[in-house]
Amino acid sequence: MAVGVLALQGSFNEHMAALRRIGVKGVEVRRPEQLESIDSLIIPGGESTTMAKLANYHNLFPALREFVNSGKPVWGTCAGLIFLADKAVGVKAGGQELVGGLNCTVHRNYFGSQLQSFETELSVPKLAEKEGGPDVCRAVFIRAPAILEVGADVEVLADYPVSSDNLPSMATRGEDKEDNIGPLDKVIVAVRQGNLLGTAFHPELTADTRWHSLFLRMGEEIGERRLQCITTNSDDHPKGKGTPDLPIFE
Ligand code: GLN
């Protein structure tokens, strides 16, 4: 299984190292054609507008959208999560180009500026259920986004309680009145929707490799389901009755 890591900007080296820790060699991806030879893709954290400019420069957006739609696993961390969201608020004037596919609204700098970055013990029972280990994980939020709303097809894997006391001002968060965000008592910080995984924090910066192994497992699950599909379909055409699956020259 070739795991690609989008290597335009941001924490791609750290993802490559986290993959190495679980015995997987990642492939740095910088050009559209490289997406054809990988089975899954990690879009790292960094700075989403800068990453979008670089992605545009390398003409990567169409190929990234195609990859997302192909059903192969894609994981966006932090800026990568912003990339995957269908809608982003708190963005620079004039908007920002997104890959999309993940049915949610993301707030680009929900937790404020670089100075308001923080670490926390996040409650992650669903991750522990799949990957074992404790019900919490160390989560590093760096000028982090948050998910404000998700569609019915999106599974919430972790949320984080917020109140007006622990949030910086609207201006620091780059929010404007038109963004129209009401007071929330929690925000979503990790989700899964089919082949897509999104985390607002940076698992690649901690020693806990469970998010990376969860992502690899998604690839295996999706691969197995595809295989089952092929087998079921070929069962519909048993040899000798339906269309043979190999050309027969008589
Ligand atoms: N909020 C940042 C952005 O707009 C993302 C920060 C990160 O990836 N650590 O891109």
Side-chain angles (χ1 to χ4, degrees):
M1 285 266 292
V3 183
V5 180
L6 190 64
L8 299 175
Q9 186 264 342
S11 64
F12 60 89
N13 268 323
E14 288 76 2
H15 272 293
M16 297 286 287
L19 289 171
R20 272 198 299 277
R21 285 200 289 278
I22 52 170
V24 174
K25 195 174 174 315
V27 180
E28 293 185 8
V29 172
R30 296 188 178 83
R31 294 189 311 275
E33 62 273 20
Q34 289 177 297
L35 289 166
E36 289 163 22
S37 52
I38 55 170
D39 302 297
S40 60
L41 177 71
I42 298 177
I43 307 179
E47 213 286 327
S48 57
T49 49
T50 310
M51 220 188 285
K53 279 187 192 146
L54 290 167
N56 250 322
Y57 179 80
H58 293 282
N59 191 29
L60 269 156
F61 273 105
L64 285 170
R65 291 193 186 108
E66 206 179 298
F67 196 90
V68 163
N69 292 332
S70 74
K72 291 182 182 171
V74 184
W75 176 18
T77 54
C78 208
L81 162 69
I82 302 171
F83 250 51
L84 286 183
D86 277 341
K87 188 176 169 208
V89 299
V91 294
K92 285 192 179 148
Q96 123 178 21
E97 185 154 7
L98 304 171
V99 173
L102 187 57
N103 185 2
C104 71
T105 303
V106 97
H107 186 312
R108 187 175 153 237
N109 285 320
Y110 187 79
F111 293 102
S113 70
Q114 199 77 14
L115 286 175
Q116 277 101 28
S117 301
F118 62 100
E119 286 186 41
T120 189
E121 296 283 307
L122 198 64
S123 168
V124 287
K126 288 191 178 173
L127 177 68
E129 207 177 282
K130 289 231 170 209
E131 299 300 319
D135 264 4
V136 291
C137 77
R138 192 85 191 142
V140 183
F141 288 82
I142 304 172
R143 199 155 76 96
I147 299 169
L148 307 176
E149 291 177 338
V150 291
D153 46 345
V154 178
E155 182 188 10
V156 174
L157 300 179
D159 50 31
Y160 183 76
V162 286
S163 72
S164 50
D165 303 340
N166 68 2
L167 273 188
S169 69
M170 264 174 66
T172 318
R173 294 189 279 151
E175 195 173 305
D176 79 36
K177 283 206 191 75
E178 282 155 35
D179 290 332
N180 202 12
I181 295 152
L184 297 167
D185 55 5
K186 61 182 179 192
V187 285
I188 299 162
V189 291
V191 290
R192 177 171 176 187
Q193 173 199 318
N195 62 319
L196 306 180
L197 179 67
T199 51
F201 49 93
H202 287 264
E204 76 284 7
L205 298 182
T206 66
D208 192 338
T209 50
R210 287 180 296 167
W211 289 101
H212 287 82
S213 45
L214 175 79
F215 180 60
L216 291 182
R217 207 177 298 281
M218 278 170 56
E220 286 161 16
E221 275 170 28
I222 292 171
E224 271 162 29
R225 226 171 293 141
R226 281 192 172 160
L227 206 63
Q228 265 167 24
C229 240
I230 296 168
T231 329
T232 322
N233 287 345
S234 55
D235 281 353
D236 294 344
H237 302 289
K239 279 197 176 61
K241 287 188 189 158
T243 323
D245 53 3
L246 285 172
I248 295 171
F249 300 98
E250 287 172 329

